[in-house]
Amino acid sequence: MSHPAEPTAIPAHAHEHEHDHGGTGVYAKTLIGLLILTAITVAAASFDFGQGNVVIALFVATIKASLVVLFFMHLRWDKPVNAIIAMAGFLFLGVFIMFCLLDFNARNNYLPSNLHPVPDMPLAPGTAPAGEVLHTNPAAAAEGGEKK
Amino acid sequence: MSTTSVDLQTHGHPAAHAGEHAHDPHHQHHFTTMEQQFDTSKIGMWLFLATEVLLFGGLFVGFGMMQARYPREFVEAHTHLVRWQGALNTVVLLISSFTMVLAVQAAKKSEKGKQVLFLGLTILCACIFLVVKYFEYSHKYEEGWLPGRFYSYKGDSIPACHAAPPGEAAAAAPAANAAPCTNGYATFFSFYFMMTGLHGFHILAGIAVLTWILFRAKRGEFSASYYTPVDLVGLYWHLVDLIWIYLFPLYYLIQ
């Protein structure tokens, strides 16, 4: 975009050409897309798809987030270095989530209620009185006893 | 700016640029060109946004873990949230992102009036968001749907120590009465207030910086040659919107 008031300024502002994208029409379409997707998520939540509900909600949210990042935040037209930084953020978030899920799935089925009746003194595994320690699983009982 | 520094920074560039750079009051001497200065600021902003993603990411992971641990309680607790209020706030924030991007566009085109108008509309949307949030929070406060040990609502269908399987419920009940036991409802509201509260503080910070930018725009400080602050505040504002895009379905729409 050239600036009529300062013709000599054009070389210094050459970078503006890279940012001369979007426009009100593109932004309005993005907004309409986002509003439609919001309506879709709200509508989808009134049906019971079991585990599918979370998947649909997160999938639609990710499409919405992509629209915001690509058009409103200009990443579609921006220098690649900014996209690399943004993607690095999401990549490490993905690593974080993945390892937490691996850890969560590898744990025994422990519940806070299991931890209440455990006596103060630590017991050797297998010696816990049957009536007091309320574990369904002997391995978890041993673990809970040691932790306490 | 001394003549020597002008000579240094324009080294290797056509002389025509030198005069222009020297006269741009926003051009800091340690950057070769205005473009480099703009790009550097933008990279810095994106790095900050990446840390913000990780900050909220940790809370989202925690929320996911706890939802896996208390699936029944989380689903039931979320029915205490008013869905239309969450949806209204989503729409308000999306519209504020739209007005923000129009403000940035107006700054790029040196349109002062539109800049002030759209920044004002963005701040207005942010305030509407906080007003809705205020009604949500005060309702929860009155009903006792509060985080952790402050949780005092008695009307839950699943009794006190919710995590106890049916056969063990009787044995677990005395312990629950003796000391406040960690339950899924309180955990849900701990996460709810932590995450929406942190997001709310981001909205407040957004209003502060938007107001600052609005006053600078009113003074006519931004134009096609310099609009970096408007652009960066815009990026921040879109990120706040983006976080809400995930908060809304996870809190208000879980099944």
Side-chain angles (χ1 to χ4, degrees):
Chain A
M1 177 175 52
S2 68
H3 201 285
E6 307 169 60
T8 53
I10 293 168
H13 304 150
H15 68 280
E16 280 160 25
H17 290 289
E18 291 160 30
H19 301 284
D20 194 16
H21 303 287
T24 314
V26 173
Y27 301 141
K29 278 178 203 156
T30 310
L31 176 66
I32 292 167
L34 287 167
L35 292 176
I36 291 171
L37 287 168
T38 306
I40 290 174
T41 356
V42 175
S46 53
F47 299 101
D48 188 6
F49 298 115
Q51 288 293 309
N53 279 94
V54 178
V55 176
I56 291 169
L58 287 180
F59 182 67
V60 176
T62 304
I63 296 174
K64 285 167 74 181
S66 309
L67 285 178
V68 169
V69 168
L70 287 175
F71 295 98
F72 284 171
M73 295 170 98
H74 281 101
L75 212 54
R76 185 176 185 314
W77 306 290
D78 221 341
K79 293 232 157 82
V81 66
N82 295 325
I84 291 169
I85 293 170
M87 286 305 111
F90 288 110
L91 177 76
F92 282 104
L93 179 60
V95 170
F96 181 27
I97 292 173
M98 192 182 75
F99 277 95
C100 287
L101 284 177
L102 283 175
D103 174 75
F104 188 83
N105 291 332
R107 278 170 194 255
N108 277 321
N109 183 22
Y110 69 92
L111 295 165
S113 61
N114 290 342
L115 302 177
H116 281 296
V118 175
D120 291 338
M121 289 296 287
L123 295 170
T127 60
E132 280 193 87
V133 184
L134 300 169
H135 293 291
T136 45
N137 163 347
E143 220 179 79
E146 278 161 17
K147 271 182 193 161
K148 200 75 178 179
Chain B
M1 195 185 293
S2 74
T3 337
T4 357
S5 70
V6 173
D7 288 346
L8 277 175
Q9 64 169 285
T10 57
H11 180 74
H13 290 266
H17 289 211
E20 194 50 46
H21 288 159
H23 287 108
D24 195 320
H26 300 293
H27 188 190
Q28 293 168 316
H29 67 88
H30 49 284
F31 292 108
T32 310
T33 58
M34 281 299 275
E35 184 185 357
Q36 190 205 12
Q37 183 176 327
F38 176 80
D39 289 343
T40 309
S41 309
K42 208 158 186 176
I43 288 172
M45 194 65 202
W46 273 104
L47 279 170
F48 169 66
L49 297 187
T51 67
E52 290 278 89
V53 166
L54 293 175
L55 168 69
F56 276 93
L59 290 165
F60 276 113
V61 171
F63 177 79
M65 298 283 117
M66 286 301 132
Q67 198 189 351
R69 192 162 157 182
Y70 301 106
R72 285 187 305 167
E73 288 86 343
F74 267 46
V75 168
E76 209 183 272
H78 108 281
T79 58
H80 299 322
L81 305 183
V82 184
R83 195 172 277 185
W84 71 262
Q85 287 176 335
L88 173 67
N89 264 352
T90 308
V91 171
V92 166
L93 271 196
L94 290 175
I95 290 171
S96 80
S97 257
F98 176 64
T99 56
M100 186 68 229
V101 84
L102 292 182
V104 173
Q105 181 176 264
K108 273 182 206 172
K109 291 183 177 171
S110 312
E111 294 166 330
K112 187 182 150 189
K114 276 192 182 175
Q115 248 185 93
V116 172
L117 169 72
F118 287 125
L119 285 171
L121 285 175
T122 309
I123 295 170
L124 179 71
C125 285
C127 293
I128 295 173
F129 181 92
L130 287 181
V131 168
V132 175
K133 206 87 234 150
Y134 166 77
F135 284 113
E136 287 193 75
Y137 277 3
S138 53
H139 179 54
K140 277 165 197 69
Y141 181 80
E142 283 160 17
E143 297 285 348
W145 294 317
L146 294 171
R149 65 193 176 88
F150 301 106
Y151 189 85
S152 57
Y153 183 66
K154 302 290 180 210
D156 302 316
S157 68
I158 306 169
C161 254
H162 312 283
E168 296 164 8
N177 294 339
C181 91
T182 324
N183 72 51
Y185 295 97
T187 309
F188 177 85
F189 282 100
S190 298
F191 273 94
Y192 170 80
F193 279 104
M194 183 68 207
M195 293 182 77
T196 60
L198 188 61
H199 181 264
F201 276 116
H202 278 79
I203 299 272
L204 278 178
I207 290 175
V209 286
L210 282 167
T211 310
W212 172 56
I213 292 295
L214 176 70
F215 278 108
R216 289 184 66 181
K218 256 187 183 165
R219 290 203 298 263
E221 283 191 35
F222 306 120
S223 67
S225 61
Y226 179 73
Y227 59 90
T228 314
V230 191
D231 203 48
L232 300 192
V233 167
L235 286 179
Y236 170 81
W237 191 251
H238 297 312
L239 187 92
V240 173
D241 181 26
L242 192 146
I243 291 163
W244 185 260
I245 285 175
Y246 281 95
L247 278 177
F248 170 60
L250 285 177
Y251 276 95
Y252 292 82
L253 304 177
I254 53 174
Q255 290 282 332

